[in-house]
Amino acid sequence: MAATPTCPVRYDPLDEATLADPYPVLAALRAQAPLVWHDTMESWLVTGYDDCVRVLRDHESFARDPRRLGRTVPEASLSVQVLDPPHQAAVRSAFMTSLHAQDLPALQERTRRDITARLEVLAPQPEWDVMRELAQPVALDAIADLLGVTPPPLTEWVQVSDTIMRSMDGGLNPDLVEPGRAAREKLSELVASWFTTTGSPARLLGHVRARTADAGPELARYVVHTARVMFQGGYSTLAAAIGNAVDTLARNPQAQRALRETPQLRATGVDELVRYDGPVQGTSRLAAAADVLLGGRTVHRGEKVTVLFQAANRDPAHFEHPDRLVLDRSPNRHLGYGWGTHACLGTTLAQRVLIALLDALADHPGLLHPAGPARRRHTATMRAFDHLPVTLQP
């Protein structure tokens, strides 16, 4: 995958070296071409922190909703993540109000106990896979716990989620789009069934259902699809974040000891782990104005703009020693969960689960160590592992 001749840096997000460590090429882009057109991706790439935040904040100039430019959106994709302000207000308010009504400390404690029990089983093994045996089951149980639903079988669910996640790279491989659309539609049917069954009004979906009981058909479909996005997106982001965090810690025994000896580091540490090697690599917008001046260049109406979160998260203009893991970094206004009204709805859950992970690891007598070659998932939008072998034995 070649960049345009005007781009001084070759950026292929699916190159094996970039999958293993994207930060050198992202740093080169940020330094040499902070805003550059990428022919293959058919998009402007934005790498500087200030420009990234500008795109995410300026909803008038940069649209999330393609329909503002006369383009179509598949039915299964009509969620809060497609709507721009002020049109997303009713749906987002229903979910955020319901999220704030949850007993998140209790959920965090249940997750800590779950992780602790799993570590007790895994610790005696000379090698185990973080993704299959920890990240995926913990993420699925946590998001199902939050929503108040019975999780689908793990093996079956991982395949569905993987198909949806890979379709996020449809701009690089159009063949991924249709399987992803079909998987979203099938999952939306499952989520719609959750809205017709009796559930606890105290849990998130029960709370949302009560708040939107009198919603018209248009709002109702956005609510169902948003619940699907929260379930699937929350799971995939959380599973990837757990894997990335465990990998970072396994390679930094000193950081593990610091988190064990100084518990107050865990609250800031979870944000630093996401900043340092987060799960979501970027997001895209469409220029909605006739001409938009960004980074000293003119972006024309209808052109795509890709915000590269992980490039922004290591911008030395905003983060001192950006390539170091600084567990007490504060403030830490990273873009690991997005920004503003389109930020991940599961951000609070992710932070709680990651703190539960750090608590459980700190309580365990062993330290994490790599136990063999890891394999990154062949995806550009989501930075995750397919296989991550570690050990808790000396």
Side-chain angles (χ1 to χ4, degrees):
M1 182 184 296
T4 62
T6 58
C7 181
V9 178
R10 181 181 181 273
Y11 176 60
D12 176 0
L14 296 178
D15 176 76
E16 290 301 325
T18 302
L19 286 171
D21 183 5
Y23 300 106
V25 70
L26 291 176
L29 272 174
R30 191 179 53 242
Q32 301 178 45
L35 182 70
V36 67
W37 179 261
H38 194 293
D39 255 350
T40 305
M41 296 174 68
E42 298 183 325
S43 176
W44 292 95
L45 304 182
V46 190
T47 53
Y49 184 94
D50 288 336
D51 286 339
C52 287
V53 171
R54 156 83 193 285
V55 172
L56 298 175
R57 278 180 168 171
D58 188 351
H59 304 293
E60 290 190 9
S61 300
F62 299 100
R64 180 69 171 168
D65 190 343
R67 294 172 300 179
R68 290 173 55 188
L69 289 97
R71 304 179 188 181
T72 59
V73 176
E75 166 70 24
S77 296
L78 293 176
S79 75
V80 71
Q81 292 296 75
V82 168
L83 295 171
D84 287 316
H87 306 289
Q88 67 164 202
V91 183
R92 185 171 179 84
S93 175
F95 278 84
M96 293 307 295
T97 300
S98 300
L99 179 61
H100 293 150
Q102 302 307 298
D103 187 351
L104 295 177
L107 187 151
Q108 179 179 321
E109 176 56 22
R110 289 192 294 272
T111 304
R112 186 197 64 78
R113 292 198 301 265
D114 179 22
I115 296 173
T116 296
R118 293 180 188 277
L119 292 178
E120 288 177 357
V121 173
L122 295 169
Q125 301 178 24
E127 174 186 319
W128 47 276
D129 177 23
V130 172
M131 302 312 295
R132 182 172 57 87
E133 298 179 88
L134 184 69
Q136 292 169 354
V138 167
L140 181 57
D141 287 349
I143 191 65
D145 187 349
L146 176 67
L147 269 61
V149 300
T150 301
L154 179 62
T155 302
E156 175 184 316
W157 167 248
V158 168
Q159 294 176 347
V160 171
S161 178
D162 182 63
T163 300
I164 293 174
M165 188 169 70
R166 290 183 186 279
S167 72
M168 295 165 66
D169 293 341
L172 296 169
N173 183 357
D175 291 342
L176 301 172
V177 173
E178 178 55 26
R181 185 206 63 77
R184 286 187 183 91
E185 193 170 86
K186 182 177 180 180
L187 179 55
S188 289
E189 293 175 1
L190 171 63
V191 174
S193 72
W194 293 341
F195 280 83
T196 61
T197 56
T198 302
S200 169
R203 307 306 282 275
L204 193 141
L205 277 194
H207 203 279
V208 169
R209 188 166 52 228
R211 286 182 58 83
T212 59
D214 298 326
E218 182 174 5
L219 180 58
R221 66 176 176 170
Y222 279 105
V223 167
V224 170
H225 293 318
T226 298
R228 185 206 73 232
V229 167
M230 192 170 190
F231 184 72
Q232 192 281 324
Y235 160 80
S236 59
T237 302
L238 186 51
I242 292 172
N244 291 352
V246 169
D247 176 63
T248 298
L249 293 174
R251 297 174 187 280
N252 289 270
Q254 186 175 353
Q256 292 184 66
R257 294 188 185 97
L259 290 165
R260 176 168 298 178
E261 295 165 2
T262 312
Q264 56 266 36
L265 282 179
R266 298 170 201 168
T268 54
V270 294
D271 272 322
E272 176 65 353
L273 286 164
V274 171
R275 183 205 68 83
Y276 183 79
D277 195 20
V280 183
Q281 295 293 280
T283 189
S284 63
R285 298 289 187 269
L286 294 169
D291 288 305
V292 183
L293 190 63
L294 179 69
R297 300 207 178 196
T298 300
V299 179
H300 298 290
R301 187 175 190 272
E303 290 181 335
K304 185 167 73 171
V305 176
T306 299
V307 173
L308 295 175
F309 293 149
Q310 289 307 95
N313 283 346
R314 295 207 184 187
D315 188 339
H318 278 266
F319 300 98
E320 188 177 5
H321 305 303
D323 295 322
R324 295 184 191 173
L325 183 70
V326 182
L327 294 172
D328 61 352
R329 189 183 296 275
S330 182
N332 192 351
R333 297 178 67 80
H334 64 82
L335 306 184
Y337 300 113
W339 187 275
T341 61
H342 288 109
C344 176
L345 287 171
T347 296
T348 304
L349 172 68
Q351 291 169 327
R352 292 281 184 174
V353 171
L354 289 174
I355 291 175
L357 172 69
L358 297 188
D359 287 343
L361 288 171
D363 289 341
H364 194 277
L367 291 179
L368 290 163
H369 300 282
R375 184 175 65 253
R376 283 284 179 181
R377 180 159 291 191
H378 201 70
T379 51
T381 303
M382 188 71 71
R383 178 163 170 76
F385 283 96
D386 265 336
H387 179 61
L388 178 59
V390 300
T391 182
L392 277 164
Q393 295 186 356

